[in-house]
């Protein structure tokens, strides 16, 4: 999938921008805090119907304005156009349209335009809680499996209702409790099955990409951990129901799943340097890209790379540049504060590219450096 044109109005600090984009490499150059990442987030929003930063939609509207609008024109592998529109007024629900027809449910849109976003915030995959690593799995699997999305919504709804019951001090409806537990178990087992299959299939891709970037310096691994590995999930949930009642929430289920991230057999968060951690996350995201390319509607995902060169040594930067410049990758959006890394990428790639200057939320193409 290629994003050929984008129009942005009142999104974060971007007042207005209408851009024609390169089908291959688009570079956003500017100082920190000027709007480069906000542009990438707008592209992400058109794929996921929400910001990459998990903030309320009302906080995305530019200060002093009452609405925002995003519009993108895409071209798929067959040359067919897809026009995507999103508009939201403060205090009202957002409207998402595909080819001028509004979606009844936003979940119908997820997966149409697969995207992989790599940013400094991804360090939380290593340093943060298990919810960050579950979200990583959910974001990828949801882009190629509407069934997974349905199971996830059903599970979370039952989990929320069960937690409400557990907080009651007396008069708990145990028949309702059992119904909710069965719903959690039924959807949870499917979520576990699909997460396990995803990790098993993605692991060799991840390891190959890490070795390519690191120059075969370290060995990495992923270990999926779930309560479902202890036996039938319904039994696991019901076994400690009294403990759940004591604490007021559900202690067991796929909402507690985790991904152990290992380097040379040890936890990444404890043993990895800054460069190794960034390499780990980069390899993980590029493995998602390779995985999605062969699963998500048989279309090449968009690749968003936000400030990826910081804290990496020269050899790892060069290996990343060579990798993402390859024919396997489609349209790429890159942000950086200077031209050094990007000049090398553009010089060596031989691909079509455009360079945009970003300053104070204003985005302008550098016409004299456009490679057509």
């Amino acid at each position: 999938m290629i994003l050929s044109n984008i129009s942005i109005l009142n999104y974060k600090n971007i007042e207005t921008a209408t851009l024609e984009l390169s089908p291959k490499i688009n570079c956003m150059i500017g100082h920190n805090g000027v709007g480069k990442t906000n542009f990438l987030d707008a592209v992400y929003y058109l794929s996921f119907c929400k910001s990459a930063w998990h903030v309320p939609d009302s906080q995305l509207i530019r200060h002093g304005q009452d609405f925002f609008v995003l519009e993108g024109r895409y071209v798929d592998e067959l040359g067919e156009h897809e026009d995507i529109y999103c508009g939201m007024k403060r205090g009202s629900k957002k409207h998402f349209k595909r080819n001028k027809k509004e979606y009844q449910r936003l979940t119908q849109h997820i997966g149409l335009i697969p995207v992989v976003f790599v940013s400094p915030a991804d360090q939380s995959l290593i340093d943060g809680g298990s919810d960050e690593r579950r979200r990583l799995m959910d974001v990828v699997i949801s882009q190629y499996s509407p069934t997974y999305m349905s199971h996830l919504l059903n599970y979370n709804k039952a989990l929320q209702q069960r937690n409400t019951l557990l907080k009651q001090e007396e008069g708990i409806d145990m028949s309702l409790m059992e119904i909710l537990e069965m719903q959690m178990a039924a959807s949870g087992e499917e979520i576990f099955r699909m997460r396990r299959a995803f990790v098993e299939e993605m692991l060799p891709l991840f390891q190959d990409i890490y070795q390519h970037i690191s120059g075969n310096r370290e060995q990495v691994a992923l270990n999926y951990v779930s309560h479902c590995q202890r036996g039938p999930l319904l039994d696991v949930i019901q076994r400690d129901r009294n403990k759940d009642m004591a604490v007021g929430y559900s202690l067991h289920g796929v909402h507690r799943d985790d991904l152990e991230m290992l380097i040379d057999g040890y936890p990444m968060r404890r043993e990895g340097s800054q460069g190794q951690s960034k390499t780990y996350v980069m390899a993980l995201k590029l493995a998602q890209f390779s995985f999605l390319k062969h699963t998500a509607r048989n279309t090449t995902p968009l690749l968003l790379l936000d400030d990826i060169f910081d804290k990496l040594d020269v050899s790892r930067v060069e290996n990343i540049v060579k990798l993402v410049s390859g024919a396997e990758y489609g349209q790429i959006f890159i942000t950086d504060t200077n031209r050094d890394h990007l000049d090398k990428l553009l010089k060596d790639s031989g691909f079509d590219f455009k360079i945009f200057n970003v300053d104070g939320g204003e985005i302008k193409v550098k016409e004299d450096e456009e490679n057509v």
Side-chain angles (χ1 to χ4, degrees), residues 125 129-141 148 152 195 224-225 253-259:
L125 291 170
S130 59
D131 58 320
E132 297 288 343
R133 293 178 285 277
R134 286 192 299 275
R135 187 178 296 117
L136 177 146
M137 294 186 284
D138 294 342
V139 164
V140 180
I141 302 172
Y148 181 84
L152 199 59
R195 283 177 177 172
Y224 176 42
V225 180
V254 296
H255 63 287
R256 311 281 287 193
D257 285 1
D258 204 351
L259 267 181

Side-chain angles (χ1 to χ4, degrees), residues 83-191:
D83 291 322
I84 305 300
Y85 166 93
C86 179
M88 177 181 167
K89 292 183 179 179
R90 200 179 296 278
S92 302
K93 73 171 188 175
K94 59 190 167 191
H95 296 275
F96 231 94
K97 300 178 182 180
R98 176 185 179 187
N99 299 324
K100 299 183 179 181
K101 183 177 181 181
E102 186 156 3
Y103 284 104
Q104 295 299 310
R105 298 187 307 276
L106 295 181
T107 54
Q108 295 173 321
H109 180 67
I110 307 302
L112 176 68
I113 308 162
V115 65
V116 173
F117 194 171
V118 186
S119 83
D122 293 329
Q123 182 64 30
S124 63
L125 291 170
I126 294 173
D127 299 336
S130 59
D131 58 320
E132 297 288 343
R133 293 178 285 277
R134 286 192 299 275
R135 187 178 296 117
L136 177 146
M137 294 186 284
D138 294 342
V139 164
V140 180
I141 302 172
S142 295
Q143 290 188 77
Y144 65 85
S145 175
T147 301
Y148 181 84
M149 193 75 146
S150 177
H151 284 305
L152 199 59
L153 291 171
N154 291 338
Y155 179 90
N156 288 335
K157 182 178 179 180
L159 171 65
Q160 184 178 28
Q161 291 176 325
R162 184 177 190 265
N163 284 344
T164 299
L165 282 181
L166 292 171
K167 287 180 174 64
Q168 294 181 9
E169 295 183 359
E170 57 184 28
I172 296 178
D173 186 339
M174 296 309 297
S175 61
L176 176 58
M177 177 76 74
E178 291 182 358
I179 291 172
L180 294 174
E181 290 169 345
M182 286 188 288
Q183 290 175 349
M184 285 176 61
S187 291
E189 293 278 6
E190 289 302 309
I191 292 169

